[in-house]
Amino acid sequence: MDPERLLDGLDPAQRRAVTATTHPLAILAGAGSGKTRVLTRRIAHRCLTGDADARHVLAVTFTRKAAAELDTRLRTFGLRDLPAAGTFHALAYAQLRTAWAGAGTTPPVLLDRKGRLLARILGNTTRVRPGELATEIEWARARLVAPDGYVDAVHRAGRLTAVDPERIADWYRRYEIDKRKRGIIDFDDLLARAADQIERDPSFAAAQRWRFRHLFVDEYQDVNPLQDRLLRAWLGDRRDLCVVGDANQAIYGWNGADAGFLLDFERHHPGAEVVELRDSYRSTPQVLAVAAAVLAAGRGPARPLVAHRGDGPLPVVVGYQSDGDEANGIARAVREHHGPGRPWSAQAVLVRTNAQGTVIEAAFRRAAIPYRVRGAHQFLDDPDVRDLLKRFGRLSEPLSTTLADLDASVARQRAELLGSAWDDDLDDDAPPPLARELPDTAAGRRLGAFEQVVRLGNELLVLEPAARTDALPGWLRTVLLDDGPGAADAVTIASFHAAKGLEWDVVHLAGVEAGYVPISHARSPEAKREEERLFYVAVTRASDVLRCSWAKTRTFGSDPVDRAPSPFLGWVRGTVTDLGRAEAAAPVPERAIDRSRAALAEPPEVEPDPAVLTAAVAASLRAWRAEQGRRAGVRPTVVLSDRALDAVARNRPRSSAALAEQPGLGPLARERHGARLLAIVAEHLGDDAGPPASTSVPAGR
Ligand code: ATP
Ligand code: MG
């Protein structure tokens, strides 16, 4: 590729950031201003002009998803070699494994969850939970604070702790001793040991620095002192470092990160150049106006971003009676926004705490909306994956061979599974099995999980070509720390934190209530500022549609608890009002449920006109059918004939028996799509619990 082409579609400031020859370089800019875009193009541009060698590039990110994204973007530039991209943890782990292999030492066991060990240390003499203690230890490790310095560091940082810091320091000390006795290491040890090794062993340092000569870091505002120490170890006395970030999106202060590394970049790296970008390309002016209001309230930057996108709908605030109602309301809104040109994957539901996702997941299952949850543990806890990894853990063969075998076997099983499932379609246009999605059955899910293992294993091989099979389990635990594998087309459910750096057309912020937003334990002024930045991050994930919701009661355990709207919603409402656009300007589907002015309101309970209902069901069915067709690579009418679609829309069957009476709908289509069709109908009839499983209800109402 001609390197000049990499400058196409960039504004002058972005071009400058891509082509600047000064090292080190920091690129500072607000959300959606193209920082990540500029970073990848800069890497590609330098490689294509011969200024850097792709084999010696190291791109560091904070989540595996971000690393995968970088990797994907870099692949599109036609570079001969692929630069290494990974998280600090993954890169440190790969480095240590190389060193252990070189020295012939057995790698220590990697502790992926501290909980059990900490629970033993805490015993039952305190109300402090293992998770809270883990946070404190991780904070201290990130700040390079040993147990002896903990109390001092807590005082200096003005950090509020659940109990006397002396006690925490004691537990922290015991934890470190326990780990050493058992010969295990945790994630923080990975980073510390990787840095130690370079600092202590000049010949190893030389080899590592020879391998990685050009360093790039995305989301640099979230770097912590431990990570910065490792980064500096990698850099040595060289200057080839480029970082990008936005101090207004610093959201890991609670975990020890320090945006000062970005803000004071020139002080930390004398002679560095700083380039600022001012234009925003992701979000509509309406979304940006809300974002600016959040920052203004939180004393963010004086200069707001310049919007490049055209106008979009006004952000919406909706209140519900209960968390269940809210989840169902979000499911309805998701369906309304889904349609041709807007796949499920263009939408996300973002929550402040992971636990809030459960009620939303349940609503999505009832409404037959495909979704995926960011979070690795689901994947690693899958029994098939666990068995596979156990087997891998016992082998010490070249990973490249084992992985190639697994890949071939997975491909064969995929062809068998899809071949048998699609044989009867008699459609000549059907794409080969490789391009199709796996069915949502036990066998399909198992195969999908194995495909993820192959993909992630290949990521390890890029970094460590000589890796052996037993390296894979530890590698997966390391890289999956932040987020899990995703389905092809599904709505994302993620925490505000996990959404960093990502974007969706439609963003639903759920549970925007006092206690969550800001989180109740954010008591210090710094913690409160960080909650405001976190809300800014959440808001700026939306390109077009921003929908905030909250519930008047929420059930914790078995008790409903009264809730109040988040104080931050005032900024959203205020902005919506200031934008001078009355409700009438909002698109019709939103207008029906927009209650931005009312303190609390429910979606209206109206008995719809049957003709309107038929048209609405038909529209949903068509959108679903088009999506199915697109995914399978067949015409929509192959999925479901027009005749069958019209019948289902008109008669609105509520049971399998009623479905069987619909003309044009054969047994095969019923078997394959029946549940989905009933769910779509039920959604329109307001049957939130989904279609009855066995009772037969006459077609229509
Ligand atoms: P964040 O702060 O959220 O990480 P960012 O600054 O990294 O955001 P990107 O993700 O790189 O921003 O870009 C945001 C969106 O804007 C992307 O969809 C990107 O493709 C698009 N974009 C960036 N620059 C331009 C441009 N010059 N012209 C058109 N689109 C652009
Ligand atoms: Mg980015």
Side-chain angles (χ1 to χ4, degrees):
M1 183 195 258
D2 174 6
E4 280 304 300
R5 280 192 43 208
L6 290 170
L7 306 180
D8 289 350
L10 296 182
D11 66 40
Q14 290 178 326
R15 280 173 190 229
R16 167 97 197 103
V18 168
T19 56
T21 52
T22 320
H23 307 294
L25 178 72
I27 300 164
L28 261 91
S33 56
K35 292 181 299 296
T36 303
R37 180 187 249 221
V38 161
L39 186 80
T40 46
R41 297 222 186 173
R42 182 174 169 82
I43 294 173
H45 191 261
R46 288 191 57 193
C47 292
L48 288 172
T49 52
D51 183 40
D53 182 338
R55 287 167 302 179
H56 297 290
V57 166
L58 185 62
V60 191
T61 62
F62 285 82
T63 63
R64 195 195 56 74
K65 163 80 187 158
E69 177 80 30
L70 256 170
D71 198 87
T72 313
R73 291 202 203 182
L74 287 169
R75 277 171 201 271
T76 61
F77 300 130
L79 303 178
R80 201 155 17 97
D81 300 292
L82 203 62
T87 63
F88 276 105
H89 284 113
L91 296 166
Y93 191 58
Q95 177 198 314
L96 288 172
R97 291 202 57 91
T98 309
W100 289 325
T105 24
T106 326
V109 175
L110 183 64
L111 181 70
D112 56 344
R113 275 175 259 184
K114 298 187 174 69
R116 216 165 336 131
L117 201 54
L118 292 181
R120 209 167 302 151
I121 291 171
L122 288 169
N124 48 14
T125 57
T126 170
R127 62 188 166 81
V128 174
R129 280 168 294 137
E132 290 175 285
L133 180 55
T135 302
E136 283 314 298
I137 293 177
E138 280 159 18
W139 175 80
R141 292 298 304 275
R143 310 290 299 189
L144 305 173
V145 171
D148 287 345
Y150 176 79
V151 175
D152 235 23
V154 163
H155 290 316
R156 254 182 294 121
R159 192 171 171 86
L160 301 170
T161 52
V163 294
D164 184 0
E166 298 276 3
R167 291 186 71 191
I168 298 178
D170 278 345
W171 291 322
Y172 176 15
R173 199 170 293 115
R174 279 186 44 202
Y175 171 70
E176 292 299 320
I177 294 171
D178 269 18
K179 261 190 320 183
R180 218 167 309 137
K181 269 204 280 202
R182 291 160 194 256
I184 51 184
I185 61 171
D186 62 20
F187 284 117
D188 304 316
D189 292 321
L190 285 180
L191 303 191
R193 289 201 180 191
D196 284 348
Q197 195 179 35
I198 293 180
E199 285 161 9
R200 256 197 250 125
D201 181 345
S203 66
F204 186 83
Q208 182 72 17
R209 289 174 189 155
W210 178 84
R211 170 105 199 263
F212 296 122
R213 300 169 200 175
H214 322 288
L215 306 183
F216 297 84
V217 190
D218 198 1
E219 307 272 3
Y220 190 64
Q221 74 277 358
D222 285 323
V223 80
N224 65 41
L226 175 58
Q227 290 160 336
D228 196 67
R229 181 182 155 215
L230 179 57
L231 189 66
R232 279 170 179 274
W234 283 335
L235 190 63
D237 55 6
R238 302 168 302 171
R239 303 179 58 78
D240 197 342
L241 168 69
C242 170
V243 304
V244 309
D246 174 9
N248 286 322
Q249 295 186 62
I251 55 173
Y252 283 98
W254 62 277
N255 214 4
D258 183 355
F261 288 114
L262 176 69
L263 288 171
D264 299 331
F265 191 73
E266 287 160 290
R267 189 165 58 76
H268 290 288
H269 301 270
E273 178 174 350
V274 176
V275 177
E276 290 186 42
L277 310 177
R278 302 231 164 276
D279 294 10
S280 171
Y281 293 91
R282 174 182 298 140
S283 310
T284 62
Q286 285 72 16
V287 172
L288 285 179
V290 170
V294 174
L295 281 189
R299 288 170 271 294
R303 243 181 314 190
L305 289 162
V306 181
H308 266 254
R309 296 276 319 273
D311 281 328
L314 285 180
V316 171
V317 177
V318 191
Y320 291 92
Q321 285 295 350
S322 70
D323 49 353
D325 289 348
E326 184 195 23
N328 290 330
I330 291 172
R332 269 193 293 272
V334 164
R335 225 174 235 303
E336 273 163 15
H337 288 295
H338 176 69
R342 193 177 266 160
W344 299 115
S345 58
Q347 299 196 51
V349 182
L350 306 182
V351 289
R352 176 61 183 85
T353 64
N354 284 313
Q356 290 167 254
T358 318
V359 55
I360 312 237
E361 283 180 57
F364 280 12
R365 280 196 295 274
R366 286 194 300 270
I369 293 172
Y371 66 88
R372 68 201 194 90
V373 183
R374 287 210 177 292
H377 295 311
Q378 260 175 319
F379 177 63
L380 290 175
D381 290 343
D382 179 285
D384 288 319
V385 173
R386 262 210 319 254
D387 285 352
L388 180 73
L389 293 182
K390 247 194 229 146
R391 248 190 303 135
F392 271 48
R394 286 194 294 262
L395 294 173
S396 184
E397 285 160 13
L399 180 63
S400 49
T401 323
T402 327
L403 220 50
D405 288 350
L406 178 63
D407 198 9
S409 131
V410 164
R412 209 171 37 246
Q413 291 179 53
R414 174 182 259 279
E416 279 165 17
L417 196 65
L418 288 179
S420 64
W422 283 74
D423 270 354
D424 39 21
D425 259 353
L426 300 171
D427 187 81
D428 291 334
D429 299 337
L434 256 179
R436 293 208 215 108
E437 200 175 329
L438 289 163
D440 191 19
T441 59
R445 280 192 296 271
R446 176 165 174 271
L447 218 48
F450 288 179
E451 286 177 357
Q452 290 291 348
V453 172
V454 170
R455 212 173 51 71
L456 292 162
N458 281 326
E459 282 181 27
L460 170 58
L461 284 174
V462 170
L463 291 166
E464 196 190 333
R468 317 213 40 103
T469 312
D470 57 5
L472 194 65
W475 166 258
L476 286 181
R477 282 199 292 275
T478 312
V479 296
L480 291 175
L481 181 68
D482 297 304
D483 45 88
D489 183 24
V491 178
T492 294
I493 301 177
S495 68
F496 291 1
H497 281 99
K500 190 177 74 158
L502 307 178
E503 63 188 13
W504 294 272
D505 284 4
V506 182
V507 169
H508 309 257
L509 302 183
V512 189
E513 293 153 20
Y516 279 149
V517 184
I519 197 82
S520 53
H521 57 70
R523 280 168 290 157
S524 69
E526 300 84 64
K528 286 181 179 153
R529 290 286 93 78
E530 186 149 296
E531 289 297 304
E532 290 161 3
R533 292 193 296 269
L534 184 56
F535 191 57
Y536 170 75
V537 169
V539 164
T540 53
R541 298 311 96 199
S543 305
D544 297 313
V545 178
L546 176 66
R547 189 178 183 278
C548 309
S549 57
W550 66 282
K552 198 184 170 203
T553 60
R554 188 168 290 278
T555 304
F556 294 94
S558 54
D559 302 324
V561 175
D562 283 348
R563 308 286 285 173
S566 160
F568 295 6
L569 282 179
W571 302 326
V572 183
R573 290 203 180 102
T575 311
V576 171
T577 311
D578 285 353
L579 283 167
R581 301 248 211 99
E583 238 174 47
V588 174
E590 287 290 16
R591 203 190 312 155
I593 48 175
D594 177 8
R595 291 292 174 272
S596 59
R597 309 233 177 102
L600 173 80
E602 274 217 305
E605 273 300 318
V606 282
E607 193 57 51
D609 175 338
V612 172
L613 197 56
T614 300
V617 176
S620 290
L621 289 171
R622 266 196 298 274
W624 165 80
R625 185 176 75 169
E627 182 57 27
Q628 292 291 311
R630 194 186 59 73
R631 274 203 250 162
V634 298
R635 286 183 303 279
T637 46
V638 173
V639 179
L640 190 72
S641 70
D642 283 339
R643 184 159 166 248
L645 188 147
D646 288 342
V648 172
R650 205 173 43 248
N651 300 325
R652 300 188 283 282
R654 300 177 103 165
S655 68
S656 309
L659 194 69
E661 291 164 15
Q662 303 310 313
L665 201 61
L668 194 70
R670 278 209 311 276
E671 189 191 320
R672 191 171 300 152
H673 305 306
R676 203 54 165 268
L677 296 176
L678 288 173
I680 293 173
V681 171
E683 168 73 7
H684 283 274
L685 299 181
D687 298 349
D688 283 338
S694 52
T695 43
S696 173
V697 179
R701 270 217 282 204

